[in-house]
Amino acid sequence: MPLGWAAPIYDWYCPKLGLGPKFRAATIALAKLRPGMKVLEVGCGTGVLTRLAAAAVGPQGAAVGIDPAPEMIAVARQKAEAGAQFRLAVIEDLPFADASFDVAFASAMLHHLPPATKDAGLREVFRVLRPGGRLVVVDLDRPANPLWWLLFFPLLAWPMTASNLRGEIPGFLARAGFAPVVRHGRWLQLLSFWTADKGGAS
Ligand SMILES: C[S@@+](CC[C@H](N)C(=O)[O-])C[C@H]1O[C@@H](n2cnc3c(N)ncnc32)[C@H](O)[C@@H]1O
């Protein structure tokens, strides 16, 4: 489900939902980015995280954000800084060669995908990561308090969000081939951070 309609207000709105600079810094920290690394963000939206990744990997590295919403990609390109590139594409058909990236991010985007697309998309991310590469995921998880359950239980009826709320994201990551899959804590008692590594580094 592309989110083009939200593009004009997205960067204003996210911090008001608690997804501001501290949230972005917590996400970036899990990737352990170093200068020269190649980074992919799937479902990049307006490109906030891709720009932070580009700054972290410096001029020898690169960060590419992909998103199927032309409106999101247009905003991302307007705001792009050195080293950050943006392309129209979907996670389930990534236009990149095998083993092209050291690190990938999927931030607040898996809950936009029905289960079959989560599976297909995560297999694609696995393919384009190099052996030893890392995927950092942050997304909806099982709510950690009753109030959130009260507000969010209607989303159990929606195929895109139901598997998130049932706590199934680690299972999707493992099925795509990632190991280990590690949860690193929660955000607002509603989202979780995970790292999912691709083995096989020499
Ligand atoms: C809530 S936004 C998250 C944007 C950004 N990653 C962030 O953390 O702010 C989810 C994004 O996923 C994108 N999206 C939806 N379906 C997608 C797909 N099949 N492949 C890649 N991105 C998709 C939407 O267009 C939207 O921009």
Side-chain angles (χ1 to χ4, degrees):
M1 188 187 69
L3 201 64
W5 60 268
I9 55 162
Y10 190 79
D11 287 349
W12 167 83
Y13 193 56
C14 274
K16 301 204 165 21
L17 293 177
L19 308 182
K22 281 188 183 161
F23 169 69
R24 301 303 183 179
T27 309
I28 286 279
L30 291 173
K32 301 191 188 310
L33 295 177
R34 294 189 304 277
M37 281 182 156
K38 305 276 186 288
V39 180
L40 171 67
E41 184 187 4
V42 289
C44 64
T46 56
V48 184
L49 204 57
T50 307
R51 285 194 294 281
L52 289 172
V57 299
Q60 268 75 53
V64 185
I66 66 103
D67 200 284
E71 301 89 342
M72 287 291 194
I73 291 295
V75 173
R77 283 181 178 153
Q78 275 164 23
K79 296 185 170 187
E81 290 154 17
Q85 301 156 38
F86 296 96
R87 290 176 68 163
L88 271 178
V90 290
I91 185 176
E92 62 269 32
D93 187 15
L94 292 173
F96 305 108
D98 297 358
S100 301
F101 296 97
D102 302 293
V103 167
F105 291 96
S107 166
M109 68 81 63
L110 288 177
H111 69 277
H112 287 250
L113 313 177
T117 313
K118 281 186 174 74
D119 277 326
L122 290 172
R123 277 198 304 272
E124 273 291 87
V125 175
F126 189 84
R127 177 184 69 75
V128 303
L129 276 173
R130 67 161 171 80
R134 165 166 286 191
L135 168 63
V136 176
V137 175
V138 56
D139 217 301
L140 274 179
D141 195 6
R142 281 183 73 83
N145 69 44
L147 178 63
W148 281 142
W149 265 122
L150 209 60
L151 287 172
F152 281 87
F153 87 90
L155 297 186
L156 284 170
W158 213 32
M160 299 173 197
T161 41
S163 50
N164 286 68
L165 293 177
R166 288 197 298 256
E168 293 171 3
I169 292 299
F172 282 97
L173 292 165
R175 254 199 318 280
F178 291 101
V181 174
V182 179
R183 195 171 83 169
H184 293 269
R186 313 217 50 170
W187 196 259
L188 306 175
Q189 300 190 50
L190 186 61
L191 311 183
S192 286
F193 296 98
W194 294 273
T195 55
D197 292 335
K198 176 170 176 173
S202 53

